[in-house]
Amino acid sequence: MKKLGLSTQILIGLILGAIVGYLFPDVGDKLKPFGDAFLRLIKMIVVPLIFSTLVMGIAGTGDFKKLGRLGGKSIIWFEFATTIALAIGLIVMNVAEPGVGVHITAAAGDADKVATASQHSINLVDYVVHIIPTNIIDAAARQDMLQIILFSCFFGVGVAHIGKDGESIVNACRCIAETMFKVTSYVMHLAPIGVFAMIAYTVGSYGIEMLIPLGKLILSVAIATLIFICIIALVASAFTRINFFCLLKALKDILLLAFSTASSEAALPGAMQRLEELGVPKNIVTFVMPTGYSFNLDGSTLYSSACILFIAQLYGIHMPMEQQILVMLTLMLSTKGIAGVPGAGIIVVAATAVAFNLPTEGVAILLGIDRLLDMIRTICNVSGNCMATMVVACWEGDMNSQKFKERYHLFLAEKR
């Protein structure tokens, strides 16, 4: 009998978890610690991996002119993709109107959470200052990705400038990165169990029936996400002459893991390793992927724009197009770096709702289905960052269609 692949095992875990959670909700609730344990195992890998790969990528590049070029091209593509994501979110919500006709009252407990979240107003000056860490150990403990990335960039530049003495540090970072990838492979063997436990808890706690009145919102966000991924894949394919749908196919088990765990961090190590296997240069992978996790959160921006319009529809508030464009510009800034803040998606939506005089109680309604929406936006974040990394590699001239085809077919042969 042929051994089941990891993606098949994860899918089976997801289906069994949904069945157990639906039929035995009490059991599903008790399985939560197993899911939490799996996520904690993943999160313990992220900080040393990000630090070591960024330092290795920056110091190992040596060519700072090329490094600046990489950063510039990455930011251009990130902003292009973010704009497309926001626009698609608003267009789909205007067409589908999932909030029209839905009448749900926010629970008192959830309303209190929303009130607390809405106090976190968006201040651009404070946001920029916050990026600078006062203590990198504290930033690592809180997993503040923007602060870790900034310190790693400065550290990498410093290592590169000390010449030969820095080679030992680069080699040490290379060893750390390879070690963390090996640890990741160990942890991934537990992925089907972790996914089973998390899905069982989600379905057992929230129930399937409560999704019916909000089904249109979930479906709208899912359709918008699919449209976005297809558009970006088509644009990227036309720009690079590489079939990006083949890239997505090669990443299917990584994307399924991201969807199942609702954690971009869970998919990061595997995604970086897979891109290298497909021929993307290590220095580009180690620079663009970690940076994209703070500056290219396409799924989070799409989700935020959809939720703001949903709240307006829910309460019968008309938002003219010029106001929607202003929401889009606001979210373009406020969603940068939100992955490092616990519950940041809800905080950004709540803060934006306050800024545009929308009832903050409407955000409480989203809390019940935020887990499902999080699963959708996570798969969008991961796929968007993987495509961005490949685009930058092609833009730099380090990747071509023939090289990708050879690596892709070799990858498929190894997986059979």
Side-chain angles (χ1 to χ4, degrees):
M1 184 178 175
K2 189 177 179 180
K3 186 179 179 181
L4 294 175
L6 181 61
S7 58
T8 305
Q9 293 177 38
I10 292 173
L11 182 60
I12 292 172
L14 190 152
I15 294 171
L16 290 178
I19 293 171
V20 170
Y22 178 68
L23 296 177
F24 311 103
D26 293 339
V27 174
D29 188 59
K30 292 175 182 177
L31 289 172
K32 185 176 185 292
F34 292 96
D36 291 342
F38 172 70
L39 278 186
R40 290 172 75 94
L41 285 170
I42 288 293
K43 289 181 179 180
M44 78 175 184
I45 299 168
V46 172
V47 172
L49 181 63
I50 292 293
F51 174 77
S52 60
T53 54
L54 264 179
V55 172
M56 185 177 64
I58 293 171
T61 300
D63 185 351
F64 286 97
K65 186 176 179 182
K66 180 174 182 178
L67 189 62
R69 200 168 61 241
L70 272 180
K73 290 176 179 178
S74 298
I75 293 298
I76 290 171
W77 182 264
F78 291 166
E79 289 307 314
F80 167 74
T82 299
T83 303
I84 296 296
L86 285 167
I88 290 174
L90 292 175
I91 292 170
V92 170
M93 293 297 288
N94 277 295
V95 173
E97 297 186 330
V100 176
V102 180
H103 302 288
I104 303 175
T105 304
D110 283 345
D112 290 340
K113 292 180 183 178
V114 174
T116 302
S118 65
Q119 293 173 5
H120 294 261
S121 58
I122 300 167
N123 187 308
L124 188 58
V125 175
D126 291 342
Y127 169 78
V128 173
V129 172
H130 173 76
I131 295 175
I132 305 170
T134 56
N135 186 328
I136 188 58
I137 304 299
D138 174 61
R142 291 183 288 103
Q143 293 199 333
D144 190 319
M145 296 309 297
L146 277 177
Q147 293 188 355
I148 294 168
I149 286 171
L150 182 68
F151 175 81
S152 301
C153 288
F154 271 106
F155 189 85
V157 170
V159 169
H161 274 112
I162 62 176
K164 289 187 177 180
D165 293 336
E167 290 179 3
S168 59
I169 298 177
V170 174
N171 290 331
C173 287
R174 184 176 291 109
C175 291
I176 291 171
E178 290 177 0
T179 301
M180 297 319 296
F181 280 129
K182 181 60 70 174
V183 172
T184 300
S185 68
Y186 299 150
V187 174
M188 282 298 96
H189 285 97
L190 300 173
I193 298 173
V195 169
F196 167 77
M198 294 181 71
I199 296 297
Y201 166 73
T202 301
V203 174
S205 297
Y206 302 127
I208 293 177
E209 67 280 353
M210 76 162 294
L211 302 180
I212 296 173
L214 296 173
K216 283 182 69 177
L217 173 62
I218 297 169
L219 187 61
S220 298
V221 173
I223 291 173
T225 298
L226 181 61
I227 292 172
F228 167 78
I229 292 174
C230 289
I231 288 176
I232 292 297
L234 286 170
V235 172
S237 298
F239 180 65
T240 63
R241 301 185 184 280
I242 288 178
N243 189 340
F244 270 64
F245 291 98
C246 288
L247 171 64
L248 294 173
K249 183 179 178 182
L251 291 166
K252 64 180 181 179
D253 56 326
I254 305 293
L255 297 178
L256 183 58
L257 176 65
F259 176 78
S260 304
T261 60
S263 171
S264 298
E265 294 172 340
L268 177 60
M272 293 176 71
Q273 197 169 26
R274 185 64 48 79
L275 287 170
E276 288 183 33
E277 289 173 0
L278 293 171
V280 182
K282 182 184 283 288
N283 68 302
I284 292 179
V285 173
T286 56
F287 180 83
V288 180
M289 278 295 285
T291 307
Y293 264 57
S294 282
F295 292 98
N296 189 40
L297 301 169
D298 302 320
S300 297
T301 52
L302 190 154
Y303 154 85
S304 299
S305 64
C307 288
I308 289 297
L309 212 55
F310 176 75
I311 294 170
Q313 293 171 359
L314 202 64
Y315 288 89
I317 299 171
H318 174 65
M319 290 189 78
M321 189 53 62
E322 58 269 20
Q323 193 173 17
Q324 291 186 33
I325 292 173
L326 191 56
V327 167
M328 190 167 125
L329 294 174
T330 302
L331 290 171
M332 198 175 292
L333 291 173
S334 61
T335 53
K336 293 288 184 287
I338 64 173
V341 183
I346 287 294
I347 289 173
V348 168
V349 171
T352 309
V354 171
F356 288 91
N357 297 315
L358 297 175
T360 54
E361 292 84 359
V363 185
I365 298 168
L366 300 172
L367 293 174
I369 59 167
D370 187 60
R371 173 72 187 182
L372 289 170
L373 293 174
D374 196 14
M375 293 163 74
I376 297 170
R377 66 178 180 253
T378 299
I379 197 172
C380 187
N381 286 338
V382 174
S383 59
N385 278 316
C386 289
M387 288 191 283
T389 304
M390 181 80 84
V391 166
V392 173
C394 295
W395 202 347
E396 277 290 289
D398 293 332
M399 195 89 189
N400 56 57
S401 57
Q402 187 59 37
K403 182 179 181 181
F404 175 74
K405 283 179 183 177
E406 291 173 0
R407 291 297 188 100
Y408 175 69
H409 290 305
L410 181 63
F411 167 78
L412 290 182
E414 289 176 351
K415 291 297 176 182
R416 286 187 186 127

